[in-house]
Amino acid sequence: MSSLSDAIAKAGNPVDMLRNSAIGMYVYPVVAPEFTNWRDEQRAWRESAVLFDQSHHMDELIVEGPDAEAFLAHVGINGFANFDLARAKHFVPVTPAGHVIGDMIIFREREDKFILVGRAPTANWTKFQAAIGSWKVRLIHDPRSDSRPDGERVLRTHYRFQIQGPDAPKIFEVMNGGPVPDIKFFHVDWINIGSKKVQALRHGMSGAPGLEVWGPYKDKAYIQSVIMESAEKAGVNLVRCGSRAYSTNTLESGWIPSPLPGIYTGDGMMQEYRDYLGADAYEAVGSIGGSYVSDNIADYYVNPFELGYGFYIGWKKDDFIGKDALAKMKDGPNRKKVTFEWNKDDVLKVIASGFEDGTPYKWIDFPQPNYASSSADMVMQGDKMVGMSMFNGYSFNERCMLSLGVVDESVQEGDVLTMKWGEPDDTGKTSTETHKQAEIRVRVSPTPYSREAREGYAADSWRAKG
Amino acid sequence: MSSLSDAIAKAGNPVDMLRNSAIGMYVYPVVAPEFTNWRDEQRAWRESAVLFDQSHHMDELIVEGPDAEAFLAHVGINGFANFDLARAKHFVPVTPAGHVIGDMIIFREREDKFILVGRAPTANWTKFQAAIGSWKVRLIHDPRSDSRPDGERVLRTHYRFQIQGPDAPKIFEVMNGGPVPDIKFFHVDWINIGSKKVQALRHGMSGAPGLEVWGPYKDKAYIQSVIMESAEKAGVNLVRCGSRAYSTNTLESGWIPSPLPGIYTGDGMMQEYRDYLGADAYEAVGSIGGSYVSDNIADYYVNPFELGYGFYIGWKKDDFIGKDALAKMKDGPNRKKVTFEWNKDDVLKVIASGFEDGTPYKWIDFPQPNYASSSADMVMQGDKMVGMSMFNGYSFNERCMLSLGVVDESVQEGDVLTMKWGEPDDTGKTSTETHKQAEIRVRVSPTPYSREAREGYAADSWRAKG
């Protein structure tokens, strides 16, 4: 058995295969679980400043050569017209049927050299497109670090840090040895960190400007020291963020990291892709978790409009993979991305079952209860499934459980829906204990999450709706 | 500032120093947080079999030379009369005042060579005794692995595995290629693991025989493979235990891993020891956490009788450090070791505060809420402090929060006491968020924990007593 196709054939159905994956938790590897404690680490990105070490959890794909731009414009849905050297983009490829494969941040390092950073599916698909096309491109793939290095050394091509939070800008000037260039959001420029010149991407959380910096991995310890010393000189409480808090930052910023790649269906090029992918690829060994179980794997897919990526589709490009399909999807109906705010009493009911005999509800592990590479929990309005919860976690800043997902167009902000929490059956997934299902009321809130939704409604609306 | 004495002088009081340590969590390093999920990993040691990787979290001290036995018999309280090559012991040193310094497991590898394995304080004290005495001994100290190796390689002198649980014996025969020798509890013999001959200590949890095996660290990957393959051949579900579940196993077996070493007081040799210890030693940078705050650090100490170690004191030895003091302590009054079973409703009240605005109660992090190297939570009977909770955690097997500690002799099994959870003030500890104190009712239960205590009382006794 050597390809994804073989693996699917053996399992009979890709849903069965992925729901029974024994790969375990999708972890944020190598970085320590906590440097201080995960509550204060979450608080830091809201109240002072936080240092994210992003060196280990993402694949990196370097695409270079005379056709690099044309090739990537063909693979991704994004408009490339304004893609100059000072800019980064959120690169999204879809299948010919218009289903999202994944996403990576793409940086343009030279006219003919791009770096893509993110989960494996986009890197794998991009490599495949290079393999079957005749583009003049060279690709170098540096996969994410081992999930359980067990004391062995881990090396990457690049280190990657983010400095975020309201006090972050105070650090930059000290670090740079003078005022930093005024970099626009998702633009790139060069700054100094001590004696090194590094590239910096202007990023941002909570409205305050943040920076992502990267460079050769061998410089990592030096760069980190200079950043920490600069924070101290600037009088900023810069908190290093461990792997437990890290993944929850997206709940407040509203990005869904884990859509299931829409590559398990389709003939022609899609069949060829499944033959090309190894039986050890993310797409073959990753897992699906959650209460939503459908025989049809396409029911787990999402399209770019549903994830809020419609506005940067490059319609003016002559062609790109999926263009025709997206043109048809454009006017809907499409689901929309929302934040689900979990009902406190229902969450506590689930937790309480861990103190009772018998089969408990699915354990809510704090701050990150996801138990699969891709999650799909059913969100119901009465007996009708109206949405899917796709990535969850606890926010100490908001003092509540939140999740990100998609809902039907008919669902309105403020609506109280019911999420089914936990799986209907025992699967081969090693990441979850035997459990029974619970119902958790969830209130539909905007993405990025805003507390106004919660506070704008009558205090007893939970009861009224529940 | 180079010694513990200097550090104490600077802080003014060792309690202030340790309560404000910024060292962070006392972690179980290098080993992955979870291999499957921590609930099933806990369940495995009760229901099937578990593989503990103990290669990283303990110091190792090799003591060899013609005086090794005499030296160690002088340092530890243990009787050494029956200490032949086939035996291991629970080695406990105390101060001249009779306070516990720590404990290590001690193995006799040769007539003149011993290996000690455990937390740093006992290793440090043993090295000091060798330094100030004129024993003909050679010591090699291999400190525990880095708490946050951050991708760097970690090497030890020895690997160390334990295989525990009711199905463990089925694995041994396959692993050994034939019946294993009938090793008595805490005795040692040689067995085969694949092509290697390794030493095995007969250990045990939950009444079933378990084995601890060790050897050169370079053999680790091979040994682990053979163990896992042997389990598969034996048809046993051998679950690798990650660092999150690992530390909670002691709640069910009843050993307190973290008494504060009683070395901060005393003149003469004790003052000399504090001058000898570096300002970077465990004793200087470790932390005290919990609701119990006393200006007098000696209030945190325990003696061997309180921890249940009285029965193996080597009274027949001519002399050992602390013998006179222990002789005086022997007849009490001494506190006794117990298990505290935390009241479910009170635990849920604490958890619920994480979903409310304002300052929450101290977060109970599952499965291991300890937030210091040594914990001391006040246990009250009315207004009177009658005990100290010293090591806590959640047991999925028992479906409850448990802690180990000591109580006054007057306290009886079944008594419902009140534990103060959380600290009265903000300290410099980075391992805890700002919080308020809670009261959690705890029921006094035997050590090792037995559920009978819980089930033997009327269901409403919580209410009756609370």
Side-chain angles (χ1 to χ4, degrees):
Chain A
M1 188 173 80
S2 64
S3 73
L4 171 60
S5 295
D6 295 335
I8 293 172
K10 193 183 166 202
N13 183 322
V15 175
D16 291 339
M17 180 180 83
L18 300 173
R19 289 192 70 240
N20 290 287
S21 160
I23 198 172
M25 294 290 172
Y26 189 85
V27 299
Y28 295 78
V30 183
V31 177
E34 292 171 301
F35 291 97
T36 59
N37 66 83
W38 62 257
R39 278 84 60 206
D40 281 337
E41 291 168 11
Q42 288 186 337
R43 208 157 57 82
W45 67 61
R46 185 75 68 92
E47 295 181 16
S48 59
V50 72
L51 180 66
F52 293 135
D53 181 352
Q54 305 181 316
S55 308
H56 294 288
H57 74 285
M58 294 185 284
D59 282 33
E60 221 176 75
L61 184 70
I62 295 173
V63 179
E64 53 185 339
D67 288 348
E69 175 174 350
F71 167 66
L72 290 165
H74 167 73
V75 175
I77 64 173
N78 312 68
F80 265 55
N82 58 1
F83 201 170
D84 59 39
L85 290 183
R87 198 180 272 264
K89 286 180 179 282
H90 181 225
F91 182 78
V92 176
V94 299
T95 64
H99 300 122
V100 168
I101 287 171
D103 53 358
M104 291 178 109
I105 303 299
I106 183 169
F107 302 92
R108 187 166 201 165
E109 269 214 342
R110 288 196 316 256
E111 274 302 315
D112 65 346
K113 183 180 178 189
F114 297 81
I115 302 185
L116 289 83
V117 183
R119 281 206 191 199
T122 298
N124 292 343
W125 174 256
T126 305
K127 282 164 73 180
F128 170 69
Q129 292 301 332
I132 60 168
S134 53
W135 310 90
K136 293 188 190 72
V137 288
R138 302 182 298 280
L139 273 62
I140 301 171
H141 187 191
D142 180 26
R144 77 199 294 260
S145 300
D146 194 312
S147 289
R148 302 179 190 111
D150 201 24
E152 291 304 311
R153 193 168 187 208
V154 178
L155 292 174
R156 295 300 308 269
T157 302
H158 294 120
Y159 71 82
R160 188 169 298 277
F161 289 115
Q162 261 188 35
I163 310 168
Q164 296 282 0
D167 292 343
K170 294 180 199 160
I171 303 169
F172 302 150
E173 188 159 334
V174 177
M175 199 166 82
N176 186 51
V180 282
D182 186 20
I183 314 174
K184 280 193 244 170
F185 186 73
F186 250 63
H187 281 59
V188 176
D189 208 333
W190 292 87
I191 62 166
N192 301 310
I193 300 187
S195 64
K196 306 272 179 193
K197 262 206 140 36
V198 305
Q199 283 192 289
L201 168 72
R202 163 80 160 74
H203 214 295
M205 285 179 62
S206 323
L211 287 183
E212 176 172 325
V213 296
W214 66 99
Y217 192 76
K218 68 176 171 50
D219 294 344
K220 181 169 190 271
Y222 172 76
I223 295 294
Q224 182 174 313
S225 297
V226 175
I227 292 172
M228 296 307 294
E229 282 168 21
S230 302
E232 202 170 327
K233 280 184 205 155
V236 171
N237 178 27
L238 177 65
V239 176
R240 292 176 70 187
C241 183
S243 55
R244 290 183 69 190
Y246 177 73
S247 62
T248 64
N249 85 73
T250 198
L251 295 162
E252 295 171 51
S253 61
W255 169 67
I256 299 179
S258 53
L260 185 76
I263 59 109
Y264 302 92
T265 45
D267 302 326
M269 182 166 75
M270 296 314 298
Q271 181 59 50
E272 204 184 331
Y273 186 44
R274 294 191 294 276
D275 296 344
Y276 162 94
L277 278 175
D280 57 352
Y282 174 99
E283 294 80 352
V285 300
S287 56
I288 292 180
S291 59
Y292 185 42
V293 181
S294 169
D295 282 346
N296 179 8
I297 192 142
D299 288 341
Y300 296 92
Y301 298 168
V302 287
N303 73 40
F305 305 104
E306 296 174 326
L307 296 181
Y309 305 157
F311 72 97
Y312 52 60
I313 296 176
W315 296 113
K316 289 179 188 161
K317 293 192 291 187
D318 283 342
D319 199 21
F320 61 89
I321 300 171
K323 186 177 181 186
D324 292 346
L326 294 186
K328 283 179 199 147
M329 286 173 170
K330 189 175 187 299
D331 297 320
N334 286 308
R335 292 170 297 183
K336 55 189 176 187
K337 185 167 71 170
V338 295
T339 307
F340 299 109
E341 185 195 299
W342 297 19
N343 179 277
K344 170 194 161 180
D345 295 332
D346 295 346
V347 168
L348 290 172
K349 171 192 75 182
V350 170
I351 293 172
S353 77
F355 294 85
E356 288 155 14
D357 284 335
T359 302
Y361 295 121
K362 172 74 199 84
W363 187 274
I364 297 179
D365 206 34
F366 287 82
Q368 179 51 267
N370 292 319
Y371 51 95
S373 315
S374 290
S375 299
D377 284 306
M378 297 174 87
V379 175
M380 314 292 294
Q381 196 161 37
D383 291 337
K384 191 185 162 209
M385 178 167 163
V386 294
M388 190 161 81
S389 170
M390 298 169 67
F391 196 90
N392 59 37
Y394 171 80
S395 166
F396 188 70
N397 293 321
E398 298 293 348
R399 297 280 203 280
C400 70
M401 283 291 307
L402 297 172
S403 61
L404 300 170
V406 292
V407 291
D408 291 351
E409 284 183 337
S410 63
V411 172
Q412 299 301 313
E413 276 177 28
D415 282 358
V416 175
L417 308 172
T418 300
M419 182 183 67
K420 293 203 176 171
W421 173 242
E423 302 192 312
D425 51 354
D426 269 342
T427 72
K429 274 192 291 295
T430 56
S431 51
T432 178
E433 70 288 352
T434 296
H435 61 265
K436 62 183 180 185
Q437 287 187 303
E439 298 201 329
I440 295 178
R441 284 165 290 173
V442 294
R443 175 146 47 197
V444 177
S445 306
T447 304
Y449 179 67
S450 154
R451 208 173 177 160
E452 284 162 36
R454 172 156 38 147
E455 290 168 354
Y457 297 97
D460 64 348
S461 70
W462 282 116
R463 220 174 321 147
K465 301 249 185 176
Chain B
M1 188 174 76
S2 63
S3 73
L4 171 58
S5 296
D6 295 335
I8 293 173
K10 193 182 166 204
N13 183 322
V15 175
D16 291 338
M17 181 180 81
L18 300 173
R19 291 193 69 241
N20 289 289
S21 160
I23 199 171
M25 294 289 171
Y26 189 84
V27 297
Y28 295 78
V30 183
V31 177
E34 294 172 299
F35 291 96
T36 58
N37 66 84
W38 63 257
R39 279 83 60 204
D40 281 337
E41 290 169 11
Q42 288 186 335
R43 208 157 59 81
W45 67 61
R46 185 75 68 92
E47 295 180 17
S48 60
V50 72
L51 180 67
F52 293 136
D53 181 354
Q54 305 180 316
S55 308
H56 294 287
H57 73 285
M58 294 185 284
D59 282 33
E60 222 176 75
L61 184 70
I62 296 174
V63 179
E64 53 185 340
D67 288 349
E69 175 174 350
F71 168 66
L72 290 166
H74 167 74
V75 175
I77 65 172
N78 311 67
F80 265 55
N82 59 1
F83 200 170
D84 59 38
L85 290 186
R87 198 179 272 267
K89 285 179 179 285
H90 182 223
F91 182 77
V92 175
V94 300
T95 65
H99 299 122
V100 168
I101 288 170
D103 54 358
M104 291 178 108
I105 303 298
I106 182 169
F107 302 92
R108 189 166 200 164
E109 269 215 340
R110 289 194 317 254
E111 275 302 314
D112 64 346
K113 183 181 177 188
F114 297 81
I115 301 185
L116 290 83
V117 183
R119 279 206 193 201
T122 298
N124 291 343
W125 175 255
T126 305
K127 282 165 75 181
F128 170 69
Q129 291 301 330
I132 61 168
S134 53
W135 311 90
K136 293 189 188 73
V137 288
R138 301 183 300 281
L139 274 62
I140 301 173
H141 186 192
D142 181 25
R144 80 199 294 259
S145 299
D146 194 312
S147 289
R148 300 177 190 114
D150 201 24
E152 292 303 311
R153 194 168 186 207
V154 179
L155 292 173
R156 295 300 308 268
T157 302
H158 293 121
Y159 72 83
R160 189 169 296 277
F161 289 115
Q162 263 189 33
I163 309 168
Q164 298 283 0
D167 292 342
K170 294 180 200 162
I171 303 169
F172 304 150
E173 189 159 333
V174 178
M175 198 166 80
N176 187 51
V180 282
D182 185 21
I183 316 174
K184 282 193 244 171
F185 186 73
F186 249 64
H187 280 60
V188 176
D189 209 332
W190 292 86
I191 62 166
N192 301 310
I193 299 188
S195 64
K196 306 273 178 191
K197 260 204 141 36
V198 306
Q199 284 192 288
L201 168 73
R202 162 81 159 75
H203 214 294
M205 283 178 64
S206 325
L211 287 183
E212 177 173 324
V213 296
W214 65 99
Y217 191 77
K218 68 177 171 49
D219 294 345
K220 183 169 189 269
Y222 172 75
I223 296 293
Q224 182 174 313
S225 297
V226 176
I227 292 172
M228 296 308 294
E229 281 168 21
S230 302
E232 201 170 330
K233 280 184 205 156
V236 171
N237 178 26
L238 178 64
V239 176
R240 293 177 70 187
C241 183
S243 55
R244 289 183 69 189
Y246 177 73
S247 62
T248 64
N249 84 73
T250 198
L251 296 162
E252 294 172 50
S253 61
W255 169 66
I256 299 179
S258 52
L260 185 76
I263 58 109
Y264 301 92
T265 46
D267 301 326
M269 184 166 73
M270 295 314 298
Q271 180 59 50
E272 205 183 330
Y273 185 44
R274 295 190 295 276
D275 296 344
Y276 162 94
L277 279 175
D280 57 353
Y282 173 99
E283 294 81 350
V285 299
S287 56
I288 293 179
S291 58
Y292 185 43
V293 181
S294 168
D295 281 346
N296 180 7
I297 192 143
D299 288 341
Y300 295 91
Y301 298 169
V302 286
N303 73 40
F305 305 103
E306 296 174 326
L307 296 181
Y309 305 156
F311 72 98
Y312 52 61
I313 295 175
W315 296 113
K316 289 179 187 160
K317 294 191 291 188
D318 285 343
D319 199 20
F320 61 88
I321 299 171
K323 187 178 181 187
D324 293 347
L326 293 186
K328 285 179 197 147
M329 284 173 172
K330 188 173 189 297
D331 297 320
N334 285 309
R335 292 169 297 183
K336 56 190 176 186
K337 185 168 71 172
V338 296
T339 307
F340 300 109
E341 185 195 300
W342 298 18
N343 178 278
K344 172 194 161 182
D345 295 331
D346 295 346
V347 168
L348 290 173
K349 171 192 72 181
V350 170
I351 294 172
S353 77
F355 293 84
E356 289 154 13
D357 285 336
T359 303
Y361 294 122
K362 172 73 198 83
W363 187 273
I364 297 179
D365 205 34
F366 287 82
Q368 178 52 267
N370 291 320
Y371 51 94
S373 316
S374 290
S375 299
D377 284 306
M378 299 176 85
V379 176
M380 313 293 296
Q381 196 161 36
D383 290 338
K384 192 184 161 207
M385 178 167 164
V386 295
M388 190 160 80
S389 171
M390 297 169 67
F391 197 89
N392 58 37
Y394 171 80
S395 166
F396 189 70
N397 293 320
E398 298 293 349
R399 299 279 203 278
C400 70
M401 281 290 309
L402 299 171
S403 61
L404 301 168
V406 293
V407 291
D408 291 351
E409 283 181 338
S410 63
V411 172
Q412 300 301 311
E413 277 177 26
D415 283 357
V416 175
L417 308 173
T418 301
M419 183 183 67
K420 293 202 175 171
W421 173 244
E423 304 192 311
D425 52 354
D426 269 342
T427 72
K429 274 192 291 295
T430 56
S431 51
T432 178
E433 70 288 352
T434 296
H435 60 266
K436 62 183 180 185
Q437 286 188 303
E439 298 200 332
I440 295 178
R441 285 165 291 174
V442 295
R443 176 145 50 197
V444 177
S445 305
T447 304
Y449 179 67
S450 154
R451 206 172 178 162
E452 286 162 35
R454 174 156 38 148
E455 289 169 354
Y457 298 97
D460 65 349
S461 70
W462 281 118
R463 221 173 322 143
K465 301 252 185 176

